[in-house]
Amino acid sequence: MGKKRMVMRFVVGILATIMLVGGTTSMQAQTHVKEPVNIYFTAKEMPDMRKFMPAPPDTFGIQWTHDIMRYYWGKDLRIKDPERAKMARADAESNIEWLMKEFSVPFGLQMSREETPEMYRLLKDATSTARKICTDVKKFYARQRPFLRFHESTLTPEEEEFMSNGSSYSYPSGHALMGWCIALLLSEINPERADTLFARAYMYGDSRVIVGAHWQTDVDAGRLAATVAYGKMHTHPMFLEQLEKAKKEFCRLKGRAMPGVQKGDLEKYYTTEEMPNLIKCLPAPPDTLNEYFTYDLMRYFWGKDQRVTNPELAKVARRDGIWNPIDTLFSSFNEALGMTISKENTPAIWKLLTRSLVTTDQMRVAPKAFYHRTRPYVRFHEHILTYDKEEDEVELGKEGSYPSGHTSRGWATALLLSEVCPEHANEILKRGWDYGESRVIVGAHWQTDVDASRMGASIGYGALQSNPTFREDMKAAQQEYMRKKNMK
């Protein structure tokens, strides 16, 4: 419990600082001047969440049970932690000027429409565009909000009329999407503050569960959707131009030089110390007295059932468990990409993926050692589907379960390839999603290991975007893909 208290003290410290410096703003009526917004992609041009993520849970099943337990967690926290409840109520605001003020402390620079006009324009246009990924999905699922299902009130009664009007749906959470998108954008501008930015964004999303406006699965989906939309925007020249202006504005205000392209044949883009620290960005894994652990248990037995009832899925899951050579992972995306990925056939894409994963792989080392979470098959004295030799299984059991390195690699690869080849984003992202689920099916990981790893990969992907050498490699990979495609 000592380690978890250390992490919680870090998070509470951020919370207290934000509330003190300016995060206590209540949802007051504000006068805003109407101004044009640059939408980089329409809803139809965005990747379709319905094709690469599961539907929100219905009124039965493991995820639904988890949603109910988290809803009551939120209600309980309103009473037990008044300060966190106060913050959750304030977080119901989603106006971009309020969010700039709220994220100024973790960002390390006071932002406003007047003081940082280029950053204001970037955040306004980018978050407006990112929300387009939710437009059709919200209407398609038309998921009812939790407070309406239970005929209860929320912590933000002034929101309830709007949320009850029959056109404001629950899945995914637009607030969670906006908060995570802002953290991605600001951490790309100022990578040194990534830890505090993502910690704040994570709390901003969880606030929607606390007030009773969203289910937990809405919030989780909103964060992942933000990362996908963020990647998509990196394929638009107007977005990249505005991002560059924002970076120059930040460097000017901070008295810094713009970072340049690194020279030489690099193995990785950043060192471990230069990458975000997942211990500070994400919550600790659940212990055995947590509602999340009940969720983990149910998903573990779901995975065991899949091995018997779905042999084809089990076969894919077993293949997905191969860690080295890394080309085995890349080849699993060949069908989705419509092209064979290899050092010989696609050297630029291969170099981008290899350098990126060597960089993001570093992020899992610290939390694995810090938490040293017992793997599910070890806890239950069972076997996993991956290995034929018992000694390999024993060796894996010595390594911490949280987060999942396989899932991180799979989701990071999917995000990278979706930027290389946006036209096949749905298929690529679906393969990346399934790659993570394979870890639950074989019994090597808990579901919360997998969920946290997708978030960790999203954070790592954002860190890569801040590196000029990575941007050059991405451009070369995109050009190579187009050349190969046109040769067919």
Side-chain angles (χ1 to χ4, degrees):
M1 291 300 293
K3 291 179 178 179
K4 292 185 180 181
R5 280 197 294 269
M6 288 171 60
V7 177
M8 285 307 299
R9 280 200 296 270
F10 174 84
V11 174
V12 170
I14 295 172
L15 187 156
T17 303
I18 292 170
M19 295 296 287
L20 180 66
V21 176
T24 56
T25 308
S26 62
M27 293 177 297
Q28 300 170 346
Q30 300 180 40
T31 303
H32 303 291
V33 178
K34 291 272 187 178
E35 59 182 353
V37 177
N38 293 317
I39 300 297
Y40 303 117
F41 294 104
T42 66
K44 299 297 182 187
E45 293 170 324
M46 278 287 184
D48 189 344
M49 291 175 64
R50 294 167 292 186
K51 295 182 178 179
F52 61 84
M53 286 178 63
D58 204 338
T59 53
F60 64 92
I62 297 171
Q63 277 86 357
W64 169 244
T65 304
H66 178 56
D67 270 342
I68 292 176
M69 294 175 71
R70 289 293 289 172
Y71 174 71
Y72 283 104
W73 164 84
K75 286 188 67 176
D76 186 57
L77 193 140
R78 299 180 210 173
I79 299 168
K80 290 184 175 178
D81 193 342
E83 283 302 307
R84 183 64 181 93
K86 182 180 180 182
M87 185 183 197
R89 175 172 164 74
D91 283 349
E93 179 61 79
S94 60
N95 173 267
I96 197 65
E97 291 182 63
W98 183 91
L99 284 165
M100 288 181 74
K101 181 179 179 182
E102 189 68 11
F103 276 84
S104 288
V105 173
F107 182 55
L109 177 71
Q110 187 61 40
M111 295 180 291
S112 70
R113 181 178 177 176
E114 294 73 28
E115 296 169 284
T116 54
E118 300 297 353
M119 280 184 255
Y120 167 78
R121 171 52 59 192
L122 172 71
L123 295 179
K124 188 173 182 64
D125 293 347
T127 54
S128 297
T129 302
R131 291 191 73 131
K132 295 296 181 183
I133 200 171
C134 297
T135 303
D136 294 339
V137 180
K138 277 184 174 284
K139 294 175 184 176
F140 183 80
Y141 292 119
R143 192 183 194 191
Q144 192 175 35
R145 295 179 183 270
F147 78 94
L148 291 173
R149 178 172 285 277
F150 293 120
H151 307 287
E152 296 180 340
S153 60
T154 69
L155 202 57
T156 54
E158 62 274 24
E159 279 192 306
E160 289 178 16
E161 183 178 356
F162 168 75
M163 292 192 294
S164 307
N165 66 11
S167 62
S168 175
Y169 301 117
S170 196
Y171 180 92
S173 165
H175 279 74
L177 178 144
M178 285 192 70
W180 201 254
C181 185
I182 286 173
L184 286 164
L185 292 163
L186 293 180
S187 66
E188 183 173 347
I189 294 171
N190 186 12
E192 295 175 7
R193 300 303 289 265
D195 295 348
T196 52
L197 285 165
F198 285 111
R200 179 64 186 99
Y202 203 93
M203 289 189 286
Y204 184 75
D206 276 358
S207 289
R208 302 308 286 162
V209 179
I210 294 168
V211 301
H214 280 285
W215 306 100
Q216 185 66 54
T217 47
D218 304 337
V219 171
D220 296 341
R223 292 175 182 137
L224 291 174
T227 310
V228 172
Y230 167 78
K232 174 71 173 180
M233 287 187 287
H234 276 79
T235 66
H236 199 293
M238 283 179 61
F239 167 81
L240 294 174
E241 181 182 343
Q242 186 57 45
L243 178 63
E244 190 71 8
K245 289 179 182 178
K247 288 179 178 179
K248 288 179 179 177
E249 180 178 72
F250 172 78
C251 288
R252 176 177 57 79
L253 292 172
K254 283 289 193 178
R256 300 180 184 177
M258 286 282 286
V261 176
Q262 298 155 283
K263 303 296 183 182
D265 188 18
L266 305 173
E267 179 191 14
K268 54 193 174 187
Y269 299 110
Y270 288 122
T271 64
T272 301
E273 294 72 26
E274 292 170 320
M275 290 295 283
N277 185 344
L278 296 185
I279 298 171
K280 296 178 179 179
C281 298
L282 299 175
D287 58 27
T288 55
L289 299 176
N290 188 295
E291 71 276 357
Y292 269 104
F293 189 67
T294 304
Y295 173 55
D296 274 337
L297 287 173
M298 292 190 290
R299 288 291 288 173
Y300 175 70
F301 288 106
W302 167 85
K304 286 188 68 176
D305 182 66
Q306 294 301 304
R307 301 181 211 173
V308 177
T309 60
N310 196 335
E312 282 302 311
L313 186 62
K315 183 179 178 181
V316 171
R318 179 180 169 86
R319 185 189 65 212
D320 286 344
I322 299 172
W323 182 255
N324 280 316
I326 201 167
D327 293 84
T328 306
L329 165 64
F330 299 161
S331 66
S332 73
F333 283 87
N334 286 346
E335 183 178 351
L337 185 67
M339 187 176 295
T340 299
I341 305 170
S342 69
K343 189 174 184 179
E344 296 73 30
N345 186 55
T346 54
I349 295 173
W350 188 89
K351 182 172 79 170
L352 172 76
L353 295 178
T354 304
R355 279 184 173 179
S356 296
L357 296 190
V358 168
T359 305
T360 56
D361 271 356
Q362 301 172 109
M363 298 171 66
R364 69 187 173 89
V365 177
K368 277 183 175 289
F370 185 75
Y371 297 117
H372 209 273
R373 189 185 194 190
T374 304
R375 292 179 182 268
Y377 74 92
V378 176
R379 177 177 284 276
F380 294 119
H381 307 287
E382 297 179 341
H383 297 285
I384 57 174
L385 195 61
T386 308
Y387 297 120
D388 295 320
K389 297 179 181 179
E390 186 175 348
E391 55 265 33
D392 293 334
E393 195 173 274
V394 171
E395 194 62 30
L396 180 67
K398 296 176 183 178
E399 185 186 77
S401 188
Y402 180 96
S404 163
H406 282 78
T407 303
S408 177
R409 278 186 170 186
W411 193 245
T413 300
L415 292 169
L416 291 162
L417 289 178
S418 295
E419 190 174 341
V420 171
C421 173
E423 65 194 84
H424 291 308
N426 293 329
E427 298 88 345
I428 292 167
L429 291 163
K430 181 66 167 64
R431 174 80 276 261
W433 181 274
D434 291 343
Y435 192 84
E437 295 301 280
S438 289
R439 302 309 286 161
V440 179
I441 293 170
V442 300
H445 281 284
W446 305 101
Q447 185 66 53
T448 49
D449 302 338
V450 170
D451 296 343
S453 296
R454 292 193 184 108
M455 300 310 303
S458 300
I459 292 169
Y461 176 64
L464 293 173
Q465 296 287 1
S466 67
N467 188 291
T469 308
F470 167 83
R471 292 303 314 158
E472 288 293 314
D473 286 351
M474 174 59 75
K475 190 183 301 182
Q478 290 169 330
Q479 291 170 349
E480 179 180 76
Y481 171 77
M482 291 306 297
R483 285 197 306 271
K484 291 283 184 180
K485 175 188 171 184
N486 293 334
M487 285 171 61
K488 289 186 177 182

